[in-house]
Amino acid sequence: MNDSPTSAAPSPPHTFRTVFPVIALCWLAVFFDGMDVNIYGAVMPHMLDDSGLGLTPATAGTIGSWTTFGMLIGALTAGNLTDWLGRRLMLVSSVTLFSVGSAICAVAGGVGLFGFGRFVSGLGLGGLMPLCLAMVMEFAPPRRAALTTGLLMTSYHFGGMAATGLGLTLAPAAGWRWVFWAGVLPALVAVPLLLKLLPESPGVLLARGERDKAHAVADRYGLPRPTAVAAPAAGAAGRLAAVRALFHPRSRWATPLLWLASFCGLLLVYGVSTWLPQMMRAEGYGLTSSVSFLMVINAGGIVGLLIAGRTADRFGAVRVSAIWFVLTAAGALLLSTHLPLGITYVVVAVTGVWLFSAQVMVYAATDTVYRDSERAAGLGWVTGVGRTGAVVGPWLIGTLATNGNQSWGFTSFALAGLVGAAAIALVPLARRLTGSSTAPAPATATATAGASDR
C-alpha cells in the first residue's frame, strides 16, 4: 500500500462511502474469525462420536478454554507487536495464525495435538477482533461509532452461520476434519486482500513518528488528521502510562465495571458458541436440530447488532447493553425448559438478538467513559480482561457436563447476563460519584487508533 503524502487533491467527506474499503476488509477478516470460533461447536457432536479421537465432554470443555486462553495471550501480545509491525501486518499475521491452527486440527490424530491446534488458532483470533474494532472505530464517520461497530460484528455471526452450515453438510458427508480444512481458507482469501488494500492506521503511523504518511492516509479517507494528543503512546512506558490513566479519578470506578461487564458478555458469547449444540442435544433434541440452533442464534445475532447499533446511537450504548443483558438472561432461562421444537427455534433466535450485541455495546460504551488519549487503552483492556470470561465459559459448561449437570449451563448463562446488566448499568453512577457526569467529547478519528488488542 502506498502511503506517501499527497497535497494536491482535497480530502473527501468523511462518510461511510469514503471508508467503505476499510470497513469491508475488516468485515471479511471478522467473518473468518466467527467461522473459526464456531467451527468447534458446530462439529463437537460429531467429534464426541468419533471414538478414534478420544474426545470426552471434560476434554472438550478444556480444549474450548485452551482456545480462549490462546486468544487472551494473543490479545495481550498483539498490542505490543503493533508498535513494531503496524496494524495491517498484525491483522495479516492473525489471520494466518488461526488458519494454521485450523490445519493442525484437521490432521490431529488425538486430543493433544487437536488442543494445540485450537490454542494456535486462539493466538490469532485474540489479536484480530480488537484490531478490527479499533480500525473501524477509528475510521467510523462522526457519531456513528456504535452503528459501525454493530455492522462489523454482523460479520462474526455470518461466519458462525457459515461454520454451522459446514457442520450440517460437510461433517456428516465427509467427516469433521474437512470442516477444519475449510478453516484454512482465510489465509488464501483474506490475506492477499489485506496486504493489497488495507491502509495503515493514521494514529499508529503518527505514534511511530511517520507524520507525513499519517496525514496522507487521513486525507485519502476523509478523516481528521491525527494529533499528538489523540495518538497512542508507543512502547512499554507509553502503555504503562495509558493503563494508569484508566484509573484516573474520573474513571477509576467505571473501568472495573466495564471489565466485569465484558467478562460476563464474553463468557456468554464463547460458552454458547462452544456448547450450545451439545447442550441442546443433552436436552433431548436431535443432532441436526441441535447443530441448527447454532445457526439460528447467529442469525438472531445479526439482527440484534443492526438494531442495537442504531438504538445505541440514539439512546446510548450503556442503556442498550444493560437491557440486552437482562433479555439474554430471560432467554437462557427459557432454554433450560424443554419446549416444542418450533417454539425453541424462536426462543433461540430471539436470545441471539440480545446476547451478542449486549457485549458489543460494552465496547461502544468505552466511548462514553474515556478521553481521546485514553480510549485506545480503555478499549484494549475491556476486550482483554473480557477474554478471561471467554476462558471460563467453555471450561465451566464442560465441567458441568462431566458431572451430569449440563442443564445448569443455562442457569449459569442467565446469572452471567444479570451480573453483566448490573455492571454496565452502574457505569453512569460510577462516573457521577467521581464528578465526571459529563460525557467525554466525541472520539476523533484517532481515538481508538492504538486500541491494543490486549
Side-chain angles (χ1 to χ4, degrees):
M1 185 86 186
N2 182 11
D3 294 333
S4 59
T6 174
S7 57
S11 298
H14 188 189
T15 64
F16 274 114
R17 178 175 295 181
T18 58
V19 299
F20 175 78
V22 175
I23 295 175
L25 287 167
C26 289
W27 194 98
L28 178 64
V30 175
F31 169 87
F32 285 123
D33 178 301
M35 190 176 83
D36 193 283
V37 169
N38 285 274
I39 275 177
Y40 185 41
V43 300
M44 186 188 292
H46 297 280
M47 295 175 65
L48 288 169
D49 290 343
D50 183 355
S51 58
L53 182 65
L55 189 69
T56 66
T59 55
T62 301
I63 288 173
S65 293
W66 288 355
T67 309
T68 50
F69 183 64
M71 294 172 74
L72 176 61
I73 294 176
L76 290 167
T77 305
N80 293 314
L81 293 179
T82 300
D83 290 341
W84 306 328
L85 300 178
R87 183 162 293 140
R88 182 175 57 175
L89 284 180
M90 281 305 304
L91 273 174
V92 169
S93 300
S94 296
V95 172
T96 302
L97 202 55
F98 69 71
S99 296
V100 169
S102 191
I104 294 173
C105 290
V107 301
V111 293
L113 184 58
F114 181 86
F116 174 72
R118 292 305 291 165
F119 175 77
V120 171
S121 290
L123 292 175
L125 294 167
L128 185 139
M129 181 69 77
L131 280 166
C132 288
L133 281 168
M135 183 71 84
V136 299
M137 290 180 73
E138 178 180 9
F139 280 76
R143 297 177 300 279
R144 289 293 182 267
L147 176 60
T148 307
T149 302
L151 288 173
L152 173 71
M153 293 305 296
T154 62
S155 61
Y156 175 91
H157 301 291
F158 276 113
M161 293 173 69
T164 308
L166 292 171
L168 286 171
T169 58
L170 191 58
W176 61 265
R177 295 181 186 276
W178 281 100
V179 181
F180 283 98
W181 279 122
V184 180
L185 286 175
L188 305 177
V189 176
V191 166
L193 293 174
L194 291 170
L195 285 172
K196 183 176 178 61
L197 301 174
L198 188 70
E200 185 53 88
S201 155
V204 169
L205 288 170
L206 183 64
R208 291 162 58 181
E210 301 178 70
R211 181 179 299 273
D212 289 342
K213 288 185 178 181
H215 289 176
V217 174
D219 293 345
R220 183 181 305 128
Y221 292 93
L223 277 62
R225 289 186 171 185
T227 65
V229 173
R239 293 184 183 282
L240 183 60
V243 174
R244 286 199 300 266
L246 302 183
F247 292 92
H248 186 279
R250 63 178 168 270
S251 57
R252 65 172 54 159
W253 298 115
T255 290
L257 287 170
L258 287 170
W259 289 2
L260 178 58
S262 183
F263 172 91
C264 293
L266 286 177
L267 185 153
L268 286 164
V269 168
Y270 287 94
V272 168
S273 296
T274 303
W275 278 100
L276 180 63
Q278 189 61 24
M279 289 171 69
M280 299 304 285
R281 193 182 185 190
E283 290 292 317
Y285 297 96
L287 175 59
T288 300
S289 297
S290 296
V291 176
S292 298
F293 289 134
L294 193 59
M295 178 175 288
V296 171
I297 202 167
N298 276 290
I302 294 170
V303 176
L305 286 166
L306 295 175
I307 295 172
R310 289 185 176 275
T311 307
D313 279 336
R314 182 174 181 182
F315 297 104
V318 169
R319 184 177 301 172
V320 170
S321 181
I323 295 172
W324 265 224
F325 268 123
V326 171
L327 292 172
T328 298
L333 288 177
L334 281 175
L335 290 176
S336 66
T337 62
H338 190 93
L339 301 169
L341 183 60
I343 297 176
T344 302
Y345 273 117
V346 173
V347 173
V348 170
V350 172
T351 302
V353 170
W354 318 124
L355 187 155
F356 299 102
S357 49
Q359 169 63 19
V360 174
M361 290 304 105
V362 174
Y363 297 150
T366 62
D367 195 50
T368 68
V369 173
Y370 303 115
R371 297 183 178 183
D372 282 357
S373 58
E374 300 165 354
R375 286 189 181 100
L379 176 62
W381 278 89
V382 167
T383 58
V385 173
R387 293 294 182 193
T388 59
V391 174
V392 170
W395 167 83
L396 174 63
I397 307 304
T399 300
L400 291 173
T402 302
N403 295 325
N405 297 317
Q406 196 160 269
S407 61
W408 290 9
F410 292 111
T411 304
S412 301
F413 291 153
L415 288 173
L418 293 176
V419 173
I424 194 68
L426 288 172
V427 167
L429 176 62
R431 296 187 66 249
R432 285 195 293 270
L433 290 176
T434 55
S436 303
S437 58
T438 303
T444 67
T446 55
T448 53
S452 54
D453 318 291
R454 294 177 168 83

